[in-house]
């Protein structure tokens, strides 16, 4: 009798436990954040993770009756790892949203999983134009490389730069940068006289820069992913290329806010085009930069952090708009067309392309309060991805 009572009590307890965890499950909204937290692109993962945590600290974790749970996973920047992790997050953890994606091949590797499971995939970093076309469940809050490249190709020939050598990382965004810069520069009457590509993994820029020095163009246009800019800058200066009269220009990935202040005065006056500068002069951005630095031992947020921060905004507001319903299709619909002020300036998610539309700024490296910043001096407003308007 005693034994049976005990068994029954245990069964009831177990059943109750099961019910609570099922309830917790139903009341939880899970975001699976896949980032390169180790390896060559670790700074991108660090920036984005810090930004998502800041967003949650500022906005709370209770939205529309749900408790938001962030599950952070390190893919080491390896597409196969990202794919496996995405599968586990969808099947085992039953995440409502997949987010992050530090490199283009990673975003592309995960896209079929987003499609099959009808899970929104929020791209916070990767920037090759084609990515949003890899799945109807993809939304992008980072930027597109053609946006940056075209802005620079419009600025350069108006500023005495006619003959250019391009130097890009040899994969998706680099190929986009090379093509969109060249097409637009040529259209504007300039000329790309040589196109060089360096490997993404463990690049040695020295032989390429030597070649550029011999060719002696008006300018060298560079795209390298976030985290690689300082190495390019160092070798460019060590070879005295600036003194030889070769200007250094590029997408803003080159003068990355994550590294810029340590690049030294040789970086002064370098002009780049990009959607975000930590020096963007808006009240919202000042607040964002201050809060980010305070929460991260003085680390300056870069454009990756902003992609992550805005990605969280898009997810939170989709959850709010759908009144806590976590279904992929409803969330996706609520992500499309969102328009808001970002630390970068005004932005919106084009409902047709699911891609980001925002301002492109021309910026020059200057010293402010003893520190190096990308100071914005011109703007092209509300730029769509040029890769989608061909
Ligand atoms: C990509 C584009 C990655 C721009 C980056 O840094 C970047 C990409 C990691 O699409 O792979 O700055």
């Amino acid at each position: 009798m005693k034994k049976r009572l005990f068994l029954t009590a245990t069964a009831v307890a177990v059943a109750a436990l099961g019910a609570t965890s099922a309830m917790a499950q139903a009341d939880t909204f899970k975001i699976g954040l896949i980032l390169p937290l180790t390896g060559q692109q670790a700074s991108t993962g660090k920036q984005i993770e810090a930004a998502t945590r800041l967003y949650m600290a500022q906005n709370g974790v209770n939205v529309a009756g749900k408790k938001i749970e962030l599950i952070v996973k390190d893919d080491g920047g390896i597409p196969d790892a990202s794919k496996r992790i995405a599968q586990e997050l969808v099947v085992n953890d039953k995440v409502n949203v997949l987010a992050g994606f530090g490199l283009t091949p990673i975003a592309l590797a995960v896209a079929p999983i987003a499609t099959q499971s009808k899970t929104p995939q929020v791209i916070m970093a990767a920037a090759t134009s084609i990515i949003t076309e890899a799945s109807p469940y993809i939304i992008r809050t980072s930027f597109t490389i053609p946006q940056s490249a075209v802005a620079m190709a419009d600025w350069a020939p108006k500023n005495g730069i006619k003959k250019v050598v391009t130097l890009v990382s040899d994969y998706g965004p680099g190929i986009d940068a090379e093509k969109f810069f060249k097409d637009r520069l040529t259209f504007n009457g300039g000329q790309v006289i040589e196109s060089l590509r360096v490997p993404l993994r463990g690049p040695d820029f020295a032989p390429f820069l030597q070649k550029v020095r011999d060719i002696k163009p008006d300018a060298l246009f560079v795209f390298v992913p976030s985290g690689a800019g300082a190495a390019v800058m160092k070798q460019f200066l060590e070879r005295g290329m600036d003194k030889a009269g070769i200007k250094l220009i590029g997408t803003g990935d080159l003068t990355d806010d994550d590294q810029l202040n340590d690049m030294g005065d040789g970086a002064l006056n370098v002009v780049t085009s990009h959607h975000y500068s930590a020096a963007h002069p808006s009240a919202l951005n000042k607040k964002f930069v201050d809060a980010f630095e305070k929460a991260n031992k003085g680390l300056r947020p870069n454009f990756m952090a902003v992609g992550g921060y805005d990605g969280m905004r898009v997810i939170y507001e989709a959850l709010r708009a759908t009144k806590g319903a976590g279904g992929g299709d409803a969330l996706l619909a609520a992500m499309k067309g969102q328009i808001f002020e970002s630390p970068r300036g005004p932005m919106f998610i084009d409902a047709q392309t699911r891609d980001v539309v925002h301002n492109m700024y021309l910026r020059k490296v200057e010293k402010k309060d003893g520190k190096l910043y990308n100071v914005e001096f011109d703007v092209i407003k509300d730029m769509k991805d040029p890769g989608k308007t061909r």
Side-chain angles (χ1 to χ4, degrees), residues 41 44 102-105 125-128 131 143 145 171-173 223-227 253 274 303-304:
Q41 258 63 53
T44 291
L103 290 167
T104 288
T128 303
I131 288 173
F143 73 111
I145 287 290
Y171 78 117
F223 164 79
V224 288
S226 182
D253 313 71
H274 225 40
F303 60 100
M304 293 302 186

Side-chain angles (χ1 to χ4, degrees), residues 79 82 100-112 121 123 126 131 134 138:
S82 329
F101 313 105
L103 290 167
T104 288
I106 288 171
L108 294 177
V110 172
Q121 181 184 355
I123 310 294
I131 288 173
I138 287 180

